[in-house]
Structure formats: structure tokens, C-alpha cells
Amino acid sequence: MLPWLSAFPRSWPLATPFRISRGVRTTAEVVEVHIRDGRCIGRGESTPYARYGETVASVIAQIDAPARIQMDALDHAQLQQLLPAGAARNAVDSALWDLESQRRGVPVATLLGQTGLPCLPTAQTIGLDTAERMAEAARGQAHLDLLKIKVGADDPARLIQAVRDAAPQARLMVDPNESWTLELLQAMQPVLAATRVELVEQPLPAGEDEQLRGFRSVTLLCADESCHVAEDLPRLQGLYDVVNIKLDKTGGLTGALTLLDAARAQGFEIMVGCMGCSSLAIAPALHVGRHARFVDLDGPLWLRDDHPGGVRLVGGLLQPPAPTLWGGGRRTDVDTAKPASIACAQPLKAAPAPLSI
């Protein structure tokens, strides 16, 4: 019997609304993929992102067309040719890794020649809000090692200072989500130095990166929207110090590992990030996170509910998920895995754009 593939939408309500410079989100809208081969079922998840012209419906349509025809020979290498980098390829690639792990009876870490996944200190995100509310959120997380502050172009200095005052010992990153100009970035340099910010993520709109050439920042500058795949790296040389690797941009773990190797070889520091998602999407990203200087994988921590056995934050460290969730080498019974996944599937209709954590 040939392997069977299913792609369907799923909606995960957030515990609290999440705001960035592009708007407010109350759910994480994702696509889940199952690839069944006998009694093994590989699962993957991706978050379509309107910023890149993706919707839940368009991603499912991308997956359905080539994968249904090629399932008898589908592997990671063939998938790179069938689908472009993006959310559709990520979901299928992740499911293939999970399926291979089950078929061989070994964890993905073993397939990659690595030891078991370590616990990782992940950033916790302070969503864009009033200075008072952001300070309140920071106080509740002041014990953590790393906080990421979402800001826009409207008085970011006040917001950053409020978080720093509320969390005096935490390491800080700032993410304007492309909302700054070069003039604002220049004006923010004294504030960034005084508040001891370590990294600013994608301050300028992607496509305007060249303005950064010759600019000396007091913080590390990280490319997010400007860096999707390894081929993007040469034009980012001399502009950014760090690249943010997200599986929804690279098209899965396979592409993420290629970008990781190329980025390190070209002298970039590594950040690993995520969109709004469940632990099913974070599980493969942990295999990149173990090599990253900055880990930002708190997507599932924003959810009201998550998969059983999902990642947990304990003592400021992100605990890997249970081996049965993804990539642990444990065979998943189709009868138990599929109903649990489809139960939360939502009709294909207009949905809010996903949040970028």
C-alpha cells in the first residue's frame, strides 16, 4: 500500500491576545500534515504567513497537488524540488522526518548524528502594548534569562525602558517587525546601549537592507524577514550579524539545516525562531535551536491548550516534547493519532493572518 497523505487546517486559541506592529492575534492558524505508512504516521505542522503571500487554503492546495502524485517515492531531496521554501514544504518535510524516525525506530536526533535533545533557554515574548502593560508582563517573567520585546515606530524607547526597569537582570532582544527607518534606528542607539539590548531583529523592511551597509550598531542586528534560505546569505554580508532561522521560511528541517551550515560557514551568528504554533511545529525546530546563540521558540507557550506531551517551560528552560509527539522513534498508531488531530480541524474560511512570534 502506498503512503497516504492528508493536509488539514487547525486553529489554536491563544491564552491571551498577542500584538505586534502588524496587528493583534487571538489564534494560531496552522496546517497539519499526516503521512501514513502502515501503522506509522508521520506528522508535521506549519503556519501560513500572509506577509509571504500564504493562507491556510493556499498552503493546503500546494501540498495536495504534487504530494498526492509522488507519495510512492517522496523523500526530503525530492520534496525540495516539488515545493518552494515556505509553509507547505515545512509541514510535509516535518512529517517525513517523523515518519522516517518511526520506520527506523530511532529518534530524529540519532538520524542527524546527534545525542538526545537538551533543554534550551528560550526567549519569552513581551507583546506590543502600553508601556504599563508591557512592564507588568515583564515583571512576571523577570526571572527568565531572555526576553524579546515587540515594538513599533511609536515611542519604542519608552516601551524598552519600561521592560528594562521591570526586568533589570534579563537579557533583552527587540523586534520592530520591519517598522523602523534607518533614522529611527540611528536615534535609538543611545537607548539600546543604556538598556543593554543585545539584539535588534529586522528593524528595517526587507528589501531596504542595503541602507545598513556601513552602519555601526551598538547591538547585534538580526535578519528575519530578509533571510529565508541559504541563497539569501551572500547579500546579507556586512549588513547583519545574525540570521533568524524559521522552518516556515526554509521549508522545513531539511532546509533549515542547510541554512544553519551555510550561515555558520559564512560567519553569521544563529537565532532560531517560530511563528504562532503548537509543539508539533516546535519539535523539529529544537534540532536547530541546539546550535543557536538565541532561541525564540515560545510559540506553544502562548496557547490556551497544546498537544498532550508538548514542550514545557520549567525553570526557564524549554523541555523537549514527549517522544510520541514527533521524531522520537516511537511508532504512532493511526487509530489513536488521526482522530485527535482532526477533532480540532476548522473549516477552510477567511482567517486572521498568523502571528509572528
Side-chain angles (χ1 to χ4, degrees):
M1 183 177 69
L2 295 180
W4 165 91
L5 181 146
S6 176
F8 52 89
R10 192 162 184 180
S11 183
W12 294 94
L14 304 186
T16 58
F18 183 86
R19 184 191 298 271
I20 66 173
S21 62
R22 298 191 185 104
V24 182
R25 304 291 174 255
T26 58
T27 60
E29 304 292 332
V30 307
V31 171
E32 190 166 319
V33 164
H34 291 180
I35 303 177
R36 181 179 66 181
D37 186 5
R39 292 184 66 82
C40 296
I41 179 165
R43 296 190 293 170
E45 178 187 295
S46 67
T47 304
Y49 199 23
R51 171 66 179 79
Y52 306 135
E54 298 173 330
T55 66
V56 168
S58 73
V59 165
I60 290 176
Q62 268 190 295
I63 293 169
D64 281 347
R68 185 168 50 242
I69 298 171
Q70 303 287 345
M71 280 309 299
D72 58 330
L74 191 63
D75 59 21
H76 299 295
Q78 184 190 48
L79 182 62
Q80 309 307 299
Q81 304 303 315
L82 285 174
L83 291 173
R89 195 170 81 189
N90 177 25
V92 179
D93 186 70
S94 296
L96 285 174
W97 278 105
D98 188 29
L99 184 64
E100 183 179 359
S101 171
Q102 294 175 41
R103 284 169 169 169
R104 298 195 185 189
V106 297
V108 169
T110 302
L111 297 177
L112 295 174
Q114 302 284 341
T115 58
L117 282 170
C119 300
L120 298 174
T122 183
Q124 283 279 83
T125 304
I126 309 295
L128 178 60
D129 210 321
T130 65
E132 294 73 23
R133 289 177 179 169
M134 292 177 71
E136 180 181 359
R139 275 191 291 272
Q141 302 179 52
H143 61 289
L144 299 177
D145 175 66
L146 182 62
L147 299 180
K148 176 173 169 177
I149 310 169
K150 290 288 188 178
V151 299
D154 185 14
D155 202 5
R158 182 166 180 258
L159 304 181
I160 296 168
Q161 188 64 61
V163 171
R164 169 51 77 204
D165 291 343
Q169 301 304 318
R171 298 164 56 216
L172 297 183
M173 302 188 297
V174 169
D175 186 5
N177 283 109
E178 303 182 274
S179 65
W180 288 4
T181 62
L182 179 61
E183 291 72 25
L184 179 53
L185 177 61
Q186 291 170 328
M188 286 295 296
Q189 294 299 293
V191 175
L192 298 172
T195 54
R196 310 191 313 281
V197 170
E198 293 188 19
L199 176 145
V200 175
E201 184 182 349
Q202 196 68 47
L204 307 187
E208 298 183 15
D209 304 307
E210 193 60 31
Q211 295 183 58
L212 296 171
R213 193 166 302 281
F215 175 70
R216 301 298 180 186
S217 174
V218 298
T219 72
L220 297 172
L221 295 181
C222 176
D224 181 8
E225 286 84 355
S226 293
C227 183
H228 290 236
V229 294
E231 290 73 17
D232 293 326
L233 294 174
R235 66 180 177 80
L236 303 179
Q237 286 282 356
L239 307 178
Y240 293 97
D241 312 289
V242 185
V243 293
N244 188 354
I245 300 176
K246 292 179 178 175
L247 273 61
D248 279 315
K249 295 187 300 179
T250 65
L253 180 58
T254 303
L257 295 172
T258 299
L259 176 55
L260 171 68
D261 290 342
R264 292 196 295 185
Q266 295 180 43
F268 290 97
E269 295 274 9
I270 305 299
M271 176 179 177
V272 61
C274 65
M275 305 296 189
C277 61
S278 78
S279 287
L280 184 57
I282 293 300
L286 292 172
H287 293 279
V288 181
R290 70 189 302 164
H291 303 290
R293 176 173 173 180
F294 299 95
V295 176
D296 182 24
L297 297 177
D298 65 339
L301 305 181
W302 282 85
L303 302 183
R304 189 174 64 199
D305 298 297
D306 192 7
H307 290 277
V311 298
R312 296 178 301 128
L313 192 68
V314 178
L317 297 176
L318 195 66
Q319 314 290 308
T324 51
L325 178 64
W326 186 91
R330 306 281 183 86
R331 189 173 69 181
T332 302
D333 193 296
V334 175
D335 295 333
T336 60
K338 189 178 178 183
S341 299
I342 293 180
C344 291
Q346 301 294 317
L348 277 177
K349 58 184 180 180
L355 59 100
S356 173
I357 298 290

